[in-house]
Amino acid sequence: MSKVEISNLSMRFGSTDVLRDINLSVREGEFVCILGPSGCGKSTLLNIVGGFIQPSAGTASIDGVPVTRPDPRRIFVFQERGVFPWLTVDENVAFGLFRLSEAEKRDRVTRYVQLVGLAGFENAYPRELSGGMKQRLEVARALAVNPDVLYLDEPFGALDSITRLQMRRELLRIWQAEKKTILFVTHDIEESVQLADRVVIMSARPGRIRRILDIDIAHPRDLSAPRYIQLRDIIFSEIGLAHQV
Amino acid sequence: MRRGELILLPLAAVLVLAGAWQLAVMATGTTIFPSPGDVARGLGELAGRGILWSYIGDSLVRVVSGYLAAVIIGIPFGMALGWFPILERIVNPIIQLLRPISPLAWMPLAVIWFGVSNTAPIFLIFLAAFFPIVVASMNAVHNIPPMYLQAGRNFGLSTPRLMAKVIVPATFPPILVSLRIAFGIAWLVLVAAEMIAVDSGLGYLIIDARNAGKRYDLVVGGMLLIGVVGLMIDALFRWGTRTLMRREVTE
């Protein structure tokens, strides 16, 4: 059985058709990128699967159960602005762990602060961290509650391009270590080919799935390999760009 | 500027102003407007009669009482308005209608309602601080970044926990700023509030000195005291804000 199952899902806001007839299955442990132009409804789709918005028609199910509300087993990661400025790094990571004992909480916090490379910054406040560090902090806060699915909504969009590349490598390392199912929304073609097992290419409004592309390259990926460039160019032409500036 | 200059230069400016004041009094030969020396002597006389400190104390008690009542009622009320859109729809027009009315306009009503008592001026001070605090608290809730609330719900926080762990800390900085501004307004209203129903305090001192014996040295002395005490309280607020906010001041 697939982990996430989206069937015949449509979304309208008033008279605006945002998503039309989306069908997608995501396997357990799979890394899926949802790629599309701004305003194609990809964030809306993620918010529906996350339980924050109810679809107009169709369903999104996880483990066969329709999603009706947010659930701590599936955590949504925003751009780094989602960390709480009034909490330290440690306290941010512990935010979702209020059901655990103090000892368990401490273990989890230590582990995930280490995993995302923030050791030494446990008592720092977010304002003392760089954009990339805040993004890692938010990933650590999400991972600490041990979710089985992570939703990432253009998480690296606000970072500079060098930090963005580093964060992609970090995310892949964490994904391989933690074996989470990841739905990752982006409008960056290169990003999707670098990260995903499969790329879901969406059309502009109303958002529909144009094509689902398998990225059959093992990690770490060589960004100059012919297959990488070939897959990237397939996406470029699918979106209707000649890949020339 | 070096640290010494930071203190010395403003002090020098005060001395220059006092000097200009003295010269102006001497040059015009006025017998009504007091010189700095007259004011100092007047205040010394009040201190000698033992009413200087009791007046300052009475004023502080009134301002603090009215202000604290505004804080205790205004913050939860404003936050509730911000949180429940229906409540805001119903109540906000009334607030926006009452807000532009100067607290001084309530004076006659305050006297009818509370008579000759401490309550009337406290009520005026309460009104002066209440509306800014309510509006700021309401806006603070509106301005909570949606992703903070979304994260709170995602991690499965109950509403009381969401309140304690997200809403209160997220609204704390802007509300703190409004508390300082509201105190400034409350202090401004003091003179007017003490014009009615009471016979002590710095506001009363000014009115009484003018009415009872045209003691303009005491009028100016009272004004200066209000300025100095207000400045000291504001410094206290700034210090408190800095201390409380040290860890997260905006980037």
Side-chain angles (χ1 to χ4, degrees):
Chain A
M1 194 172 64
S2 57
K3 183 75 188 171
V4 181
E5 186 76 47
I6 300 168
S7 43
N8 305 318
L9 188 141
S10 296
M11 186 72 207
R12 298 174 67 86
F13 288 120
S15 60
T16 315
D17 233 349
V18 180
L19 292 166
R20 191 179 289 170
D21 208 25
I22 304 288
N23 285 282
L24 176 67
S25 312
V26 179
R27 293 183 302 273
E28 171 118 48
E30 194 178 16
F31 195 135
V32 170
C33 274
I34 299 167
L35 174 75
S38 298
C40 76
K42 54 195 191 300
S43 285
T44 305
L45 180 60
L46 206 61
N47 273 286
I48 291 171
V49 183
F52 293 103
I53 307 177
Q54 296 306 307
S56 310
T59 53
S61 304
I62 296 177
D63 297 328
V65 182
V67 175
T68 54
R69 66 170 98 99
D71 187 316
R73 287 173 297 174
R74 293 111 210 185
I75 298 294
F76 206 104
V77 177
F78 307 91
Q79 291 182 2
E80 80 278 1
R81 292 162 300 157
V83 298
F84 298 118
W86 57 86
L87 299 179
T88 61
V89 165
D90 265 2
E91 290 163 348
N92 261 290
V93 177
F95 180 79
L97 303 177
F98 52 92
R99 296 178 187 85
L100 302 186
S101 71
E102 279 305 313
E104 270 181 299
K105 205 189 280 186
R106 217 171 315 113
D107 283 352
R108 290 268 187 103
V109 169
T110 313
R111 174 167 163 212
Y112 286 99
V113 166
Q114 292 250 306
L115 181 75
V116 301
L118 285 176
F121 293 91
E122 288 84 353
N123 298 316
Y125 284 93
R127 71 179 161 88
E128 303 167 65
L129 305 178
S130 68
M133 290 162 92
K134 276 188 269 192
Q135 185 62 67
R136 288 165 209 243
L137 175 56
E138 201 173 328
V139 170
R141 185 180 73 186
L143 288 171
V145 297
N146 195 24
D148 46 12
V149 186
L150 282 182
Y151 306 116
L152 293 104
D153 188 1
E154 297 187 20
F156 309 145
L159 303 177
D160 66 82
S161 61
I162 294 169
T163 311
R164 208 178 299 158
L165 280 170
Q166 288 167 340
M167 289 301 297
R168 285 176 199 156
R169 200 168 53 198
E170 285 284 289
L171 181 64
L172 285 171
R173 180 176 65 77
I174 290 165
W175 170 63
Q176 283 163 341
E178 297 278 312
K179 307 200 183 348
K180 307 293 184 195
T181 307
I182 293 183
L183 265 70
F184 187 110
V185 160
T186 180
H187 53 224
D188 185 327
I189 294 171
E190 299 272 356
E191 182 165 74
S192 69
V193 185
Q194 287 164 24
L195 293 174
D197 293 328
R198 282 191 298 156
V199 176
V200 176
I201 305 163
M202 294 187 61
S203 64
R205 185 173 292 165
R208 309 160 181 256
I209 295 179
R210 293 174 74 109
R211 180 167 178 182
I212 299 178
L213 191 66
D214 277 298
I215 308 296
D216 49 1
I217 318 174
H219 292 287
R221 288 175 180 168
D222 177 355
L223 306 191
S224 56
R227 182 62 179 154
Y228 174 89
I229 292 167
Q230 189 184 15
L231 287 166
R232 187 192 66 188
D233 289 350
I234 291 172
I235 298 177
F236 269 111
S237 61
E238 186 66 47
I239 284 181
L241 294 170
H243 190 32
Q244 281 174 339
V245 177
Chain B
M1 282 195 287
R2 276 172 293 144
R3 201 180 162 72
E5 288 173 336
L6 279 174
I7 299 166
L8 283 177
L9 289 179
L11 207 63
V14 169
L15 287 176
V16 167
L17 186 68
W21 171 8
Q22 176 72 46
L23 285 176
V25 169
M26 280 157 55
T28 56
T30 174
T31 52
I32 301 169
F33 197 86
S35 70
D38 296 335
V39 171
R41 270 189 297 280
L43 290 177
E45 179 196 322
L46 285 184
R49 276 157 54 195
I51 55 175
L52 182 70
W53 296 108
S54 73
Y55 273 15
I56 292 176
D58 287 350
S59 284
L60 281 174
V61 167
R62 287 183 196 120
V63 171
V64 169
S65 311
Y67 174 74
L68 278 185
V71 170
I72 291 166
I73 301 171
I75 292 178
F77 183 58
M79 288 180 75
L81 290 182
W83 189 249
F84 300 107
I86 296 181
L87 198 60
E88 188 192 339
R89 278 289 281 278
I90 298 169
V91 180
N92 197 38
I94 301 173
I95 291 176
Q96 298 307 331
L97 176 78
L98 295 179
R99 198 160 71 112
I101 302 173
S102 163
L104 311 188
W106 291 82
M107 236 191 296
L109 298 182
V111 173
I112 305 178
W113 289 336
F114 304 110
V116 180
S117 70
N118 241 346
T119 319
I122 290 174
F123 175 69
L124 294 190
I125 288 159
F126 165 82
L127 283 177
F130 180 70
F131 290 109
I133 292 176
V134 167
V135 172
S137 304
M138 182 172 78
N139 288 335
V141 171
H142 287 164
N143 293 335
I144 299 174
M147 61 268 275
Y148 292 174
L149 299 173
Q150 203 172 337
R153 297 220 311 277
N154 198 167
F155 284 105
L157 273 68
S158 59
T159 305
R161 181 172 278 273
L162 189 72
M163 186 71 91
K165 298 291 178 185
V166 179
I167 298 169
V168 168
T171 53
F172 183 69
I175 290 179
L176 200 60
V177 170
S178 81
L179 291 185
R180 182 179 158 208
I181 294 168
F183 194 90
I185 299 171
W187 192 246
L188 272 180
V189 172
L190 174 71
V191 176
E194 285 181 342
M195 279 165 70
I196 53 164
V198 294
D199 53 6
S200 68
L202 297 174
Y204 170 77
L205 169 65
I206 291 171
I207 300 307
D208 184 56
R210 150 96 182 43
N211 290 346
K214 303 224 185 300
R215 289 287 305 273
Y216 285 100
D217 55 337
L218 296 184
V219 170
V220 176
M223 289 168 67
L224 288 177
L225 281 177
I226 289 173
V228 169
V229 176
L231 180 72
M232 279 169 16
I233 295 171
D234 194 59
L236 207 66
F237 263 98
R238 265 182 298 164
W239 173 81
T241 309
R242 259 207 316 278
T243 311
L244 288 167
M245 300 286 303
R246 193 166 3 187
R247 51 193 203 174
E248 54 163 308
V249 188
T250 45
E251 291 122 274

